[in-house]
Amino acid sequence: MAIHFACSQCNKKLFAQDQYAGLLVTCPTCHARNVIPTPPSPPAPPPVGRPVPGDPDLIDMEKGPPAMTDAQTKTEGGGEKKSDGETGGRVDGGTASTEASSEEQAVTPPSEIRNPPPEDATRRCPICAETIKVAAKKCRFCNTIFDEDLRRQEAQEQQRQNALSEIAEAERSAHTWRVIATLVSGLTIGWLVLLTLQVWAPLTNSSLASSPWPLMIFDPLLVIGMLWASRQMRRGPAQVFVTAAMTILLCMPLNILLGLPVSDAQLEEELVRQNARLAQLSPQERENLIRVLMLMLYTFIGAVLSVPVWVAALKVAGVARRRAASRTEA
């Protein structure tokens, strides 16, 4: 039997089968949530009156038919007298059979007596009112799920697909920043190579004692380390990018602190010409001032170049964290 009701928002007339009473459904017009009302219970049958004592035409089914006397037995049996044992057994057996059938009728629920619907039986979807099979777990028209297990599986599958989409998007972003970090590392390697050549150039016209030996060893090692880091940036973890960012940030100031030659006659003349106070300083003081200015400049350049590498490290770490969370949920 169908249950007819109206939407609480738009008053659209809806209907559903009685087995879906109490479920929460969505109105196809305004998408409001409505509860399918419970149909009114059928009226109870009138009570059956008990037999009137003394009425020979009525029999109390709880007690069975009354025991017959010898005269009644002889009359009903065609003049043949039955023994008390036989008569009592027949009466008791009839009473027991009547009581057993009464108990079976009282215990057997109506749901077991009713035949199950056939496999090709159809019904209407409570959401879109399209005709579907009674055994259907999901409506093929509006995709409404009726089975709780199937609804739970669909929700888990949707969460897994969303997690995979987020991981794929994060991987694309991380790949872009990997490429940018590799280009910045290549630029830093070229700068370190120029500094190394600048340090090794005076060896042709000066003594080995006056050469900056720390830089002659430090810069080639930095170049080798940056080449290795650039190669690992294609598939490497976030630690590779952190190491490269720290190297880019500190390699330039360390070159100044380890004795990178910064004095230039033309630069000193230009500074003295723009600022008359520098002419009052001694050559050593002017060299120290230029070294401080170069240290600040190189630190700023290294910080700017290391920013893309820091971002790449964060992106790669985010992808690894999402993958670990997805494996934990699975």
Side-chain angles (χ1 to χ4, degrees):
M1 184 180 72
I3 303 173
H4 295 271
F5 61 100
C7 177
S8 60
Q9 295 291 337
C10 63
N11 292 327
K12 180 179 176 59
K13 294 183 179 181
L14 306 173
F15 66 92
Q17 300 296 327
D18 54 356
Q19 62 264 30
Y20 299 106
L23 294 180
L24 190 66
V25 297
T26 304
C27 178
T29 302
C30 65
H31 304 286
R33 307 292 285 178
N34 297 272
V35 178
I36 301 177
T38 304
S41 58
V48 180
R50 298 184 63 84
V52 180
D55 191 350
D57 296 333
L58 298 178
I59 298 176
D60 190 352
M61 298 304 296
E62 297 180 357
K63 297 181 179 180
M68 294 184 296
T69 61
D70 294 340
Q72 293 174 345
T73 304
K74 183 177 179 181
T75 303
E76 293 180 2
E80 190 175 325
K81 185 179 181 180
K82 300 295 181 177
S83 61
D84 294 341
E86 294 176 354
T87 304
R90 184 169 58 251
V91 173
D92 294 343
T95 305
S97 176
T98 304
E99 292 179 355
S101 61
S102 301
E103 291 179 358
E104 289 179 358
Q105 293 178 359
V107 171
T108 304
S111 60
E112 295 183 3
I113 298 175
R114 185 171 54 188
N115 295 328
E119 295 182 357
D120 57 348
T122 59
R123 59 185 175 91
R124 288 186 177 274
C125 176
I127 306 301
C128 62
E130 294 289 345
T131 302
I132 59 175
K133 290 186 177 181
V134 174
K137 297 182 179 180
K138 183 178 180 180
C139 179
R140 60 190 180 93
F141 297 99
C142 63
N143 295 326
T144 303
I145 301 175
F146 308 109
D147 187 69
E148 292 295 334
D149 295 337
L150 182 59
R151 184 182 292 110
R152 189 161 44 249
Q153 293 176 2
E154 290 283 346
Q156 293 177 356
E157 181 65 20
Q158 185 64 31
Q159 292 179 358
R160 191 179 70 86
Q161 292 295 335
N162 293 339
L164 292 178
S165 300
E166 292 178 359
I167 292 175
E169 182 65 25
E171 286 181 347
R172 286 192 292 268
S173 178
H175 178 72
T176 302
W177 285 101
R178 282 178 187 270
V179 174
I180 297 175
T182 304
L183 295 177
V184 172
S185 300
L187 182 61
T188 306
I189 291 172
W191 195 355
L192 288 175
V193 170
L194 292 177
L195 292 178
T196 303
L197 295 177
Q198 182 180 354
V199 171
W200 282 76
L203 292 178
T204 58
N205 53 9
S206 63
S207 61
L208 295 177
S210 60
S211 301
W213 284 102
L215 283 179
M216 296 173 65
I217 300 175
F218 180 69
D219 284 345
L221 293 178
L222 278 181
V223 171
I224 296 173
M226 288 300 298
L227 288 173
W228 176 85
S230 299
R231 185 175 181 180
Q232 296 295 322
M233 284 180 183
R234 297 178 58 186
R235 298 292 180 182
Q239 291 80 356
V240 175
F241 296 90
V242 173
T243 303
M246 293 296 297
T247 303
I248 295 172
L249 179 63
L250 299 177
C251 67
M252 305 304 175
L254 287 176
N255 272 268
I256 299 297
L257 296 176
L258 292 177
L260 181 68
V262 294
S263 60
D264 189 1
Q266 295 181 357
L267 179 61
E268 289 184 8
E269 292 178 1
E270 183 65 23
L271 292 176
V272 169
R273 189 177 61 83
Q274 293 181 1
N275 193 342
R277 294 182 179 180
L278 296 179
Q280 302 175 1
L281 300 178
S282 62
Q284 185 64 33
E285 291 176 346
R286 284 197 297 268
E287 183 179 356
N288 293 337
L289 179 60
I290 293 175
R291 186 172 294 276
V292 171
L293 293 177
M294 295 298 293
L295 178 63
M296 296 173 60
L297 178 62
Y298 282 1
T299 303
F300 175 76
I301 294 175
V304 172
L305 291 178
S306 65
V307 169
V309 187
W310 286 113
V311 176
L314 294 177
K315 294 291 184 178
V316 173
V319 171
R321 185 171 60 254
R322 290 176 184 270
R323 286 179 177 175
S326 178
R327 285 193 293 266
T328 302
E329 292 177 357

